[in-house]
Amino acid sequence: MAEAFKNLIGPATVQAVAHHLHRVHHRFDQAGFESQALTGLQALEFKARAQHLAQALMAHLPEDFERCAALLEASLKRVPAPRFEHDPDKELGNLQTDETGVAGWALWAYGEVVAQRGLPHPERALRALHAITQRFTAEFAIRPIIQAHPELAFATLQRWLDDPSAHVRRLVSEGSRPRLPWGLRLHDLVRDPSPTLPLLHRLQDDPAEYVRRSVANHLNDIGKDHPELLVQWVREHRDDTHPTRSRLLRHASRHLIKQGHTPMLHCWDVGTEFHGEVSLSVPHHTVHIGEVLPLTIALTATGPAPQTLEVDVRVHLRKADGQLRPKVFKGKRLTLAKGEQASWTQSLSFKPVSTRTLYPGTQGLDVSVNGQALGWIELKLKEAPPAR
C-alpha cells in the first residue's frame, strides 16, 4: 500500500530541516524547534503539516526578514547551475533533502515563512522564492505577493521569462494561475486575466514540457471564467505544423471540450452533430460504493461522409441535495466513415475520493458525442457491503 501523502512531511523532515538550519547557524535552537514542530504533527493532514512546520520555523528564526531569508537560502540543497534547455522532469525525483541541504516537500513550509514574513519586503521575498522554486516550487508562496504587490510581482515575472531555470519559468505561469488548486485564489486575475496573457504568449513555446504543461493548465483556468477568450486564443495560436503547440492548446481546451462548449468544439473540428447510433451497456445496473463498473460504448456512423468525433463519458452523480450532476471523464477522439463501427470498454470507478462524496441512490450514465448527450443508463448505487 502506498504511503499516505501527508507523510511527505514527517519527523524525518523536521529533523533534516533542524540539522541544516543548525549547520548554517549554530545559534539556531535545534532542540526547541524539533520539539515544537513535532508536537501534534502526526495528527495533521498534509497542508496543515506544512503550515505547522512554518509556524515552528518562524518561532525559531530571526524576526528580521533579511536574516531569516538568508538563513533559509543558506540551508538549501546545492543544485547544478541551470541551463535553459535542461529537462526538469528528469530532475524532479532528485529534488530531495541530502547532505548538502534542504529540498523537496519541506520547502512548502519555507515558502509559507517567506509569504508571511516577507510580505512587507516583497523584493527580498521574491529573491528567496527564486531560490526555493529551483528545489521544490514556490507557486503557493508567491500568490500573496502577487495579490499585495501586483506591479512589482508582474515586473519580476516578466524578467523571469528569460531565466535559465525551467523551474523559475514555470513559476511565472503556475504562480499566477487564477485558480491554482490548494493555492490562494487570485480574484483580480479571475475577473481579468489580461496581465498574465503576455507571459503565457512567451511561455507557450518554451523548450521545457514542464513549463508548457503549466501554461496549458493556466489557460484551462482562464477558460472556466472567460471561455470566449480561450476560444479566441486557440483560434489565433493553433498551429498544426507545430506539434508541441497543438498539444498544449488541446490540453488547455479540455474543460470546455468536456463541457460540450460548441465554439471550442468547432476549434478542434468536432462541433458537428453526430449522425449515427450509440449503444451503452453495463454488466449490471446495481453498483456498490468502492466498486469499478465496466461500461461498453458502441458507435455506428450513418452519415454520408467521415465524421470526427469527441466522445466523453458522463457519470451523473447524486449530490447532497438529491440532484444529479454530471462528472465528465475523458473517452476517445476518433473518425468513423459511413457505416463504420467502433466499440470499447471503459472502467468507471465508484471508489470514494477526497474530492468527491458519493451518495447512494439513483445515478446515471450517458456519453457526450461532439457535445450531444446520447444514450442513457440508470444505475442504483448502494453502500459497500460490510466486510466479512
Side-chain angles (χ1 to χ4, degrees):
M1 181 180 295
E3 187 175 10
F5 182 68
K6 64 182 181 181
N7 290 333
L8 290 167
I9 295 179
T13 312
V14 171
Q15 292 161 6
V17 168
H19 165 74
H20 284 293
L21 284 170
H22 186 263
R23 175 179 60 82
V24 299
H25 182 50
H26 293 308
R27 295 178 62 186
F28 180 75
D29 182 3
Q30 185 172 358
F33 166 74
E34 287 189 18
S35 176
Q36 180 176 344
L38 291 171
T39 300
L41 182 72
Q42 296 295 83
L44 301 175
E45 294 302 317
F46 176 78
K47 189 174 181 181
R49 288 188 182 201
Q51 294 166 340
H52 178 76
L53 182 55
Q55 291 301 316
L57 283 166
M58 286 188 285
H60 291 85
L61 288 168
E63 290 189 10
D64 176 74
F65 183 65
E66 174 60 47
R67 292 178 59 211
C68 173
L71 289 175
L72 292 175
E73 290 168 344
S75 71
L76 293 174
K77 176 179 179 173
R78 290 199 297 269
V79 294
R83 295 175 293 104
F84 199 91
E85 301 290 336
H86 78 302
D87 181 1
D89 279 318
K90 296 178 180 177
E91 300 173 356
L92 296 180
N94 298 319
L95 291 180
Q96 300 174 8
T97 299
D98 63 13
E99 68 280 359
T100 70
V102 182
W105 293 100
L107 295 187
W108 190 320
Y110 276 40
E112 286 282 329
V113 174
V114 173
Q116 293 184 45
R117 285 269 185 89
L119 204 57
H121 314 280
E123 291 186 2
R124 183 64 183 91
L126 287 166
R127 292 204 307 273
L129 296 182
H130 182 276
I132 288 170
T133 204
Q134 295 179 63
R135 291 137 174 107
F136 173 59
T137 181
E139 65 203 61
F140 307 106
I142 200 172
R143 300 171 77 74
I145 299 173
I146 292 174
Q147 186 177 66
H149 306 281
E151 186 174 344
L152 171 65
F154 277 99
T156 303
L157 295 177
Q158 182 70 35
R159 289 199 312 272
W160 286 353
L161 289 171
D162 296 312
D163 198 276
S165 171
H167 298 286
V168 175
R169 300 197 305 277
R170 176 185 180 272
L171 179 60
V172 173
S173 168
E174 198 72 6
S176 61
R177 277 179 63 182
R179 296 175 170 272
L180 179 70
W182 282 20
L184 173 71
R185 183 162 294 181
L186 298 176
H187 292 287
D188 287 347
L189 294 177
V190 170
R191 288 189 291 271
D192 176 16
S194 60
T196 69
L197 298 183
L199 307 176
L200 303 180
H201 185 270
R202 277 281 305 278
L203 292 174
Q204 69 179 350
D205 294 323
D206 192 273
E209 185 181 355
Y210 179 64
V211 176
R212 297 195 303 271
R213 282 199 305 270
S214 175
V215 175
N217 289 331
H218 191 140
L219 288 168
N220 189 59
D221 276 5
I222 290 173
K224 294 176 182 178
D225 301 294
H226 304 277
E228 70 291 340
L229 192 159
L230 182 57
V231 167
Q232 186 62 30
W233 185 283
V234 173
R235 286 173 177 162
E236 290 181 2
H237 296 279
R238 181 181 171 187
D239 180 356
D240 290 340
T241 67
H242 196 313
T244 58
R245 171 90 64 81
S246 289
R247 283 197 298 271
L248 180 152
L249 294 178
R250 174 76 179 179
H251 196 53
S253 306
R254 65 191 184 277
H255 173 76
L256 293 182
I257 290 174
K258 288 167 72 173
Q259 295 301 311
H261 187 269
T262 300
M264 183 59 81
L265 291 171
H266 279 293
C267 282
W268 294 101
D269 308 315
V270 287
T272 56
E273 180 181 355
F274 173 55
H275 296 282
E277 300 174 356
V278 173
S279 172
L280 306 180
S281 60
V282 292
H284 45 80
H285 291 257
T286 298
V287 60
H288 292 91
I289 294 175
E291 292 182 341
V292 174
L293 182 71
L295 169 68
T296 299
I297 304 163
L299 305 178
T300 303
T302 59
Q307 301 178 71
T308 300
L309 308 173
E310 187 80 29
V311 184
D312 292 326
V313 177
R314 306 196 309 169
V315 182
H316 297 258
L317 296 170
R318 183 169 297 278
K319 298 299 181 180
D321 61 3
Q323 299 296 311
L324 296 181
R325 293 187 179 86
K327 172 69 176 174
V328 183
F329 296 91
K330 201 74 224 150
K332 284 191 175 186
R333 179 186 173 99
L334 67 162
T335 300
L336 296 181
K338 179 180 179 180
E340 188 175 0
Q341 298 180 330
S343 66
W344 67 94
T345 298
Q346 192 158 330
S347 295
L348 305 177
S349 175
F350 289 88
K351 296 179 180 179
V353 295
S354 59
T355 56
R356 184 172 68 245
T357 301
L358 297 175
Y359 296 94
T362 301
Q363 326 279 319
L365 299 173
D366 65 6
V367 291
S368 170
V369 183
N370 289 4
Q372 294 175 263
L374 298 172
W376 178 260
I377 291 179
E378 191 170 284
L379 298 176
K380 188 73 71 176
L381 183 65
K382 294 186 174 182
E383 294 282 4
R388 295 183 177 179

